Amino acid sequence: MKNKFLCFCASVANLNLRKQILFIFFVAFFCEAKAQAPKSYTSSEILLQLKKLNVLGSVLYVAAHPDDENTRLLAYLANEKLYRTGYLSLTRGDGGQNLIGDEQGVDLGLIRTQELLAARRIDGAEQFFTRAFDFGYSKSPDETMKFWGHDKVLSDVVWVIRKFRPDVIITRFPATGEGGHGHHTASAILAGEAFDAAADPTKFPEQLTNGVTVWQAKRILWNTFSFGGNNTTREDQFKMECGDYNPILGKSYGEIAAASRSQHKSQGFGVPAQRGSVIEYLKIIKGSAPVNDLFDDVDISWKRTADASLANTVNKIIEKFDVSHPERAVAALVDLYKKIEVLKDDYWKEQKLHAVKEIIQNCSGLFMDATTNTQYAIPGDSLKINLVVNNRSGANILSADAHINNDFIIFDQLKKNANAVQTYTMFLRPGAKLTQPYWLQNPMEKGSFNVTDQQLIGRAENDPFSIVFSMLIEGKEFKFTKPVRYKYTDPVKGELYQPVNIIPAFSVRSVPKLGINNYKNDWEVKSFKDKNPFKSYVKTEKTRSVVGYNNDTVLAKGQMIRLLDKPMITRVPVYDSLGNRLYLIYHDTLFQENGNPYLGLHQIDYDHIPSIIYTQPEVFTSKEFDLKTEGNFVGYIPGAGDKVPEALLAMGYKVITLQEADIKASNLKQFDAIVTGVRAYNTNEWMNNVYSELMDYVKEGGVLLVQYNTSNQIGPVKAKISPYPFNISRNRITDEEAKVNFLIPDHPALNHPNKITDADFNGWIQERSIYHAEKADTAYKAILSMKDPGEKEQDGSLIIANYGKGRFVYTGLVFFRELPAGVPGAYRLFANLIANKRTRYIK
């Protein structure tokens, strides 16, 4: 289970308004997202934004994970009721499974963060997080709170409430457990506690010195549900029709919701669009119950400010809005902005000023772009930035200047629909902070991320490396913040944008990252800068010794070298509770001349999200323990993605990846064992086509090991799996320390070639097993049993059947987590399961 930023500040003295100045102010925030292309808004979208100006109400939806949120309700609240709408996901989904690749843990959380942001761009809500880490499935809120740290995560929920100031809070799950997952229940408990605590000045008083005040929401409700065979809706609950059609957007909220939910691609949550009436049910938890409207007794008009007449001003703008010429509304919108600007400082003043400014940009068709020809920037190097401004509609925006780092750049006069183009070469000072998601900047604490800057808590991601464009529109100065992005053209996909990332001059990679009983590894060193001298050292306890030949190496940009056979620097023995030595751990790291470790560059690329980059010290780890293997040649059928093949290579096997065309009798007979990747039978429809070949392989003496698959509406089994029938359940053991009982102690799986003992189940991470077998044919032998606290023993985590001369194995044991983590007992047991001395298994 278990700087912020480098600033290049463009000071602007004596701003000459007669020059209609455009200045560009650098705030070098470093992020991993904001890669979507510049969006232009249609007149219908602008009209919806105008209507939203007259609604001063906000609602916050709270749940535990990405994909927990009710996207239909979010879309309805944001686009029909026009409330400011937010979703607070307590975690980033780090502990889930991954249907599209082999990323786990923090990497999966980065992917799911971006999937949530993509969903919010569709349904119109905003996204927030706490510092809680998703440590995998939990069966109780008590376990969840203990792992996260109750007070820490509660403080985060309170902070988001005080900052977002929702009038209404809605939870996806109840505090009474019907949501199943312990994280689900914990999210509801924490939301209920935060409803009260946010209004209490004695709770987390340090927050009140950071720009927020206490806040009391009017009510908190539970969005009851009917799914998973559990119907919690009742006719006496408050009901809302959320299936309406929005003619301005040209879609129903069921259609918007489906597009939003389908962004959760790593979870396989693509869903069809829904049309027609849909009733959402809400049960009051605290506060006064709504009778006629969700916002009963909440004033959502401009009366919340000192000037109720602003509603009439907005209505007049809407009445005169010309969809063919939205730029004609700009002058009136500038006047509206000035009226809001003189209001007393207030939450809604800030929100509406931001909204009006965005509408002014959209109505004017003003295009602003800041791009580079490279995705990477290096501290101590220069970065060329291309600047484009286009007054596409011919609104009252005249000539412009740019002021960067005390330099003035003069643009040609802004003519209608003509690109004003300039370039600027920016120097990044040595020591500039590297691209790093803010929640990964410090080592993680048990159960949660370590974020110490109060202003970052709750945010979905870092602010991007940005430029602020400033200009006069209708005689009023406006500033617009735009990210600096890498722009390029793909011959198939067309024009694409990616974030600009600040990366180290060198990156290093250990090949492999994990070794078993052989601590040798190679280091790949890549330069991102030209004429780059590389020196490395090995740290020892008393001295730093120079690493041989590479100290005089100078690399060109993009050049890679490989360092071979480096000595190890750390040996750590690990003992059991009785003092017996279980294994040795070796660590190896490359260090710079200044004693800091060289960093590994981690990059995650999928088409549906921005490229994600972060850095961390690269460490090679080798573990030395008693491991015997039998057989040499393993075929691997990939599934959703895992790192088990790398583990097999570390064990000394030769591994060949198998696709449908490879699964022929003549080819399979060379393999001692065949292993299917996680969810292979969920993701590969062609597995049905090779069922007979695989069964014949087993019958002739082969070993087929099938790792877990799911069997539900999200991950249905698409092919026959086994020689004898069994069902796949949702049963799991979440306690990674659960006692494991050996049901057949003399079974070869527990004895050959490695003698498995209780010690082999020490040090497992996150969980024991998932998606157990059940209702298995009598041909199968259940090898192990285990249970979570307070539950009955389960025996479906590992079943084995002899078939002909060979054997079939199905296991829900989470080898896909344990093997990459280097857990010795997982290696020893896996070696037994694929051992190929078949006669030992024939009973």
Side-chain angles (χ1 to χ4, degrees):
M1 293 183 296
K2 312 170 178 177
N3 125 347
K4 263 186 184 178
F5 323 112
L6 164 67
C7 290
F8 294 89
C9 298
S11 60
V12 178
N14 301 319
L15 182 65
N16 185 351
L17 296 183
R18 289 173 297 175
K19 282 188 169 185
Q20 314 287 320
I21 287 179
L22 162 69
F23 78 87
I24 298 171
F25 170 72
F26 275 98
V27 275
F29 300 119
F30 307 130
C31 88
E32 63 287 345
K34 304 290 188 187
Q36 65 272 16
K39 177 174 171 58
S40 295
Y41 288 81
T42 65
S43 289
S44 62
E45 292 172 314
I46 295 171
L47 178 59
L48 195 67
Q49 292 175 331
L50 288 169
K51 289 177 175 289
K52 198 163 188 171
L53 289 177
N54 272 343
V55 178
L56 284 70
S58 56
V59 57
L60 182 66
Y61 201 90
V62 181
H65 310 107
D67 73 38
D68 283 347
E69 77 275 21
N70 183 337
T71 53
R72 179 174 48 243
L73 184 54
L74 290 179
Y76 177 82
L77 294 170
N79 299 286
E80 181 69 25
K81 303 301 288 185
L82 304 178
Y83 304 134
R84 186 185 181 200
T85 304
Y87 173 45
L88 172 59
S89 175
L90 267 59
T91 76
R92 296 177 184 268
D94 325 77
Q97 279 102 47
N98 185 356
L99 194 65
I100 61 174
D102 61 10
E103 294 86 2
Q104 297 176 22
V106 165
D107 284 2
L108 181 57
L110 289 166
I111 292 171
R112 296 184 74 182
T113 293
Q114 292 305 317
E115 290 177 339
L116 265 182
L117 289 170
R120 297 296 80 80
R121 287 191 288 271
I122 292 171
D123 60 38
E126 301 171 52
Q127 186 61 52
F128 306 97
F129 294 95
T130 74
R131 290 172 289 180
F133 179 73
D134 179 358
F135 57 88
Y137 193 90
S138 173
K139 293 182 178 178
S140 81
D142 291 340
E143 176 194 49
T144 298
M145 301 286 199
K146 181 179 179 181
F147 193 85
W148 285 347
H150 169 275
D151 290 355
K152 181 176 182 177
V153 179
L154 175 61
S155 75
D156 291 357
V157 181
V158 169
W159 170 257
V160 171
I161 291 173
R162 286 172 171 172
K163 198 168 180 65
F164 188 76
R165 297 177 69 173
D167 299 299
V168 174
I169 299 172
I170 301 174
T171 67
R172 169 78 282 190
F173 303 104
T176 47
E178 291 91 329
H181 198 316
H183 297 183
H184 294 169
T185 306
S187 72
I189 293 171
L190 289 166
E193 292 178 357
F195 176 82
D196 297 321
D200 186 344
T202 68
K203 302 295 186 183
F204 311 110
E206 68 281 358
Q207 295 180 0
L208 304 179
T209 64
N210 280 277
V212 299
T213 61
V214 294
W215 180 253
Q216 179 63 71
K218 189 69 175 179
R219 57 183 59 94
I220 181 171
L221 307 99
W222 163 34
N223 180 201
T224 59
F225 50 79
S226 179
F227 53 73
N230 191 5
N231 185 1
T232 61
T233 64
R234 301 289 185 270
E235 286 306 310
D236 61 350
Q237 295 168 359
F238 182 75
K239 296 185 284 292
M240 297 174 64
E241 168 60 71
C242 294
D244 291 345
Y245 172 75
N246 188 320
I248 296 177
L249 298 178
K251 295 179 180 179
S252 69
Y253 295 111
E255 292 171 300
I256 296 171
S260 174
R261 190 158 186 78
S262 294
Q263 300 309 303
H264 296 295
K265 299 184 189 303
S266 67
Q267 304 307 294
F269 273 10
V271 295
Q274 293 183 344
R275 299 166 188 87
S277 174
V278 178
I279 304 297
E280 291 291 344
Y281 293 78
L282 299 107
K283 179 180 179 181
I284 189 67
I285 303 300
K286 291 182 179 181
S288 60
V291 177
N292 300 309
D293 187 89
L294 183 64
F295 274 62
D296 275 352
D297 302 321
V298 179
D299 188 348
I300 60 172
S301 74
W302 281 100
K303 293 178 182 178
R304 298 186 86 159
T305 71
D307 191 352
S309 69
L310 290 172
N312 292 329
T313 305
V314 173
N315 286 332
K316 289 177 182 178
I317 295 173
I318 294 172
E319 289 170 7
K320 294 180 180 180
F321 183 69
D322 185 343
V323 295
S324 298
H325 293 281
E327 74 279 4
R328 293 175 180 172
V330 170
L333 284 164
V334 172
D335 288 340
L336 173 63
Y337 188 93
K338 293 176 181 177
K339 291 179 180 179
I340 299 172
E341 202 172 27
V342 299
L343 294 175
K344 182 181 178 181
D345 286 343
D346 172 76
Y347 169 83
W348 283 111
K349 173 185 175 180
E350 178 186 346
Q351 297 302 316
K352 295 307 179 182
L353 282 175
H354 176 79
V356 173
K357 182 173 69 173
E358 183 178 359
I359 297 171
I360 290 171
Q361 178 191 339
N362 297 339
C363 283
S364 67
L366 181 62
F367 178 83
M368 295 164 282
D369 209 14
T371 61
T372 70
N373 298 321
T374 177
Q375 191 173 357
Y376 307 116
I378 311 298
D381 212 344
S382 59
L383 181 67
K384 182 180 178 181
I385 302 174
N386 306 304
L387 308 169
V388 179
V389 180
N390 190 317
N391 182 9
R392 292 179 290 183
S393 72
N396 185 13
I397 308 169
L398 302 178
S399 59
D401 293 343
H403 182 204
I404 308 173
N405 291 349
N406 297 319
D407 295 325
F408 277 93
I409 302 171
I410 301 174
F411 285 86
D412 293 333
Q413 185 156 337
L414 294 182
K415 299 177 182 179
K416 180 179 179 179
N417 201 29
N419 290 328
V421 181
Q422 289 289 356
T423 61
Y424 181 77
T425 300
M426 171 185 173
F427 178 73
L428 273 71
R429 65 171 178 81
K433 287 196 173 181
L434 305 178
T435 293
Q436 193 78 341
Y438 75 83
W439 58 98
L440 301 182
Q441 289 178 357
N442 300 317
M444 192 171 74
E445 298 172 340
K446 181 180 183 292
S448 63
F449 296 107
N450 181 15
V451 180
T452 56
D453 185 339
Q454 184 67 57
Q455 297 301 328
L456 291 175
I457 293 170
R459 297 171 64 172
E461 58 182 345
N462 301 32
D463 283 333
F465 175 24
S466 295
I467 286 177
V468 176
F469 291 83
S470 174
M471 63 197 67
L472 293 180
I473 302 175
E474 295 289 342
K476 172 69 178 174
E477 182 186 11
F478 288 92
K479 298 178 182 180
F480 302 94
T481 301
K482 301 296 174 183
V484 177
R485 292 168 292 198
Y486 164 52
K487 184 172 73 173
Y488 64 104
T489 301
D490 182 275
V492 175
K493 301 171 185 175
E495 183 178 82
L496 297 174
Y497 286 79
Q498 289 290 355
V500 174
N501 299 278
I502 313 298
I503 65 172
F506 290 106
S507 73
V508 300
R509 186 168 75 99
S510 174
V511 183
K513 287 183 171 56
L514 177 69
I516 301 297
N517 294 340
N518 181 357
Y519 61 77
K520 292 182 180 180
N521 72 304
D522 299 340
W523 288 96
E524 289 182 353
V525 180
K526 184 175 182 179
S527 174
F528 290 95
K529 186 177 178 181
D530 202 25
K531 298 180 182 178
N532 204 2
F534 177 76
K535 294 184 178 182
S536 67
Y537 298 80
V538 172
K539 259 189 174 180
T540 62
E541 290 184 3
K542 296 182 179 179
T543 65
R544 258 183 301 163
S545 56
V546 175
V547 178
Y549 67 88
N550 60 290
N551 287 309
D552 297 321
T553 302
V554 177
L555 290 99
K557 186 175 183 178
Q559 183 180 352
M560 181 182 293
I561 60 173
R562 178 168 284 205
L563 312 180
L564 307 175
D565 296 336
K566 282 179 41 46
M568 302 307 299
I569 61 167
T570 308
R571 300 177 67 207
V572 179
V574 178
Y575 299 91
D576 65 15
S577 59
L578 300 177
N580 300 312
R581 197 187 82 178
L582 300 177
Y583 55 90
L584 283 171
I585 301 177
Y586 295 85
H587 291 300
D588 190 12
T589 301
L590 283 180
F591 288 87
Q592 302 175 52
E593 200 168 6
N594 60 13
N596 294 324
Y598 280 105
L599 299 175
L601 191 67
H602 296 253
Q603 184 158 344
I604 303 170
D605 288 307
Y606 288 100
D607 284 348
H608 69 295
I609 58 174
S611 178
I612 300 169
I613 286 179
Y614 71 97
T615 58
Q616 65 181 19
E618 186 79 348
V619 177
F620 169 70
T621 300
S622 184
K623 294 191 175 181
E624 183 179 288
F625 53 88
D626 181 28
L627 173 67
K628 301 180 182 68
T629 60
E630 191 171 80
N632 301 297
F633 207 8
V634 175
Y636 203 84
I637 302 175
D642 58 64
K643 293 183 171 69
V644 173
E646 290 90 334
L648 290 168
L649 289 169
M651 294 166 73
Y653 291 101
K654 182 178 180 180
V655 181
I656 300 295
T657 299
L658 301 177
Q659 300 297 336
E660 180 178 8
D662 304 315
I663 302 179
K664 308 294 181 186
S666 58
N667 189 40
L668 297 185
K669 64 183 180 181
Q670 65 183 310
F671 296 107
D672 298 305
I674 294 174
V675 177
T676 67
V678 299
R679 297 173 76 167
Y681 289 87
N682 298 136
T683 59
N684 301 323
E685 293 190 18
W686 54 262
M687 292 296 287
N688 250 337
N689 303 335
V690 298
Y691 172 76
S692 296
E693 286 82 356
L694 289 173
M695 292 304 103
D696 287 343
Y697 162 77
V698 176
K699 188 182 296 184
E700 292 303 315
V703 176
L704 176 61
L705 185 150
V706 175
Q707 297 184 82
Y708 90 90
N709 288 265
T710 64
S711 184
N712 53 43
Q713 70 275 16
I714 294 173
V717 174
K718 298 180 178 179
K720 293 175 65 178
I721 294 178
S722 56
Y724 310 110
F726 68 92
N727 292 343
I728 297 175
S729 72
R730 295 182 62 82
N731 296 336
R732 61 179 70 209
I733 302 298
T734 64
D735 182 359
E736 73 272 29
E737 298 179 353
K739 174 73 169 63
V740 178
N741 300 305
F742 299 166
L743 300 179
I744 310 176
D746 62 344
H747 195 282
L750 301 175
N751 293 277
H752 181 80
N754 301 287
K755 177 66 176 177
I756 303 301
T757 69
D758 290 343
D760 287 300
F761 291 93
N762 291 338
W764 284 49
I765 64 168
Q766 185 161 322
E767 56 200 345
R768 286 286 194 212
S769 58
I770 55 179
Y771 297 104
H772 291 182
E774 67 176 5
K775 299 180 181 177
D777 188 272
T778 56
Y780 292 102
K781 303 293 185 183
I783 308 301
L784 307 172
S785 75
M786 56 194 83
K787 66 176 182 177
D788 276 326
E791 296 187 357
K792 295 180 180 180
E793 288 283 328
Q794 298 183 28
D795 64 2
S797 64
L798 176 61
I799 60 171
I800 299 175
N802 297 319
Y803 184 62
K805 298 177 184 177
R807 70 182 181 276
F808 172 87
V809 180
Y810 175 81
T811 181
L813 293 168
V814 289
F815 289 111
F816 72 98
R817 298 195 193 279
E818 311 308 323
L819 296 179
V823 177
Y827 278 88
R828 287 162 45 82
L829 179 56
F830 202 85
N832 286 12
L833 297 180
I834 61 174
N836 72 340
K837 188 156 285 191
R838 300 152 196 153
T839 56
R840 293 180 180 272
Y841 285 80
I842 305 299
K843 293 291 188 181

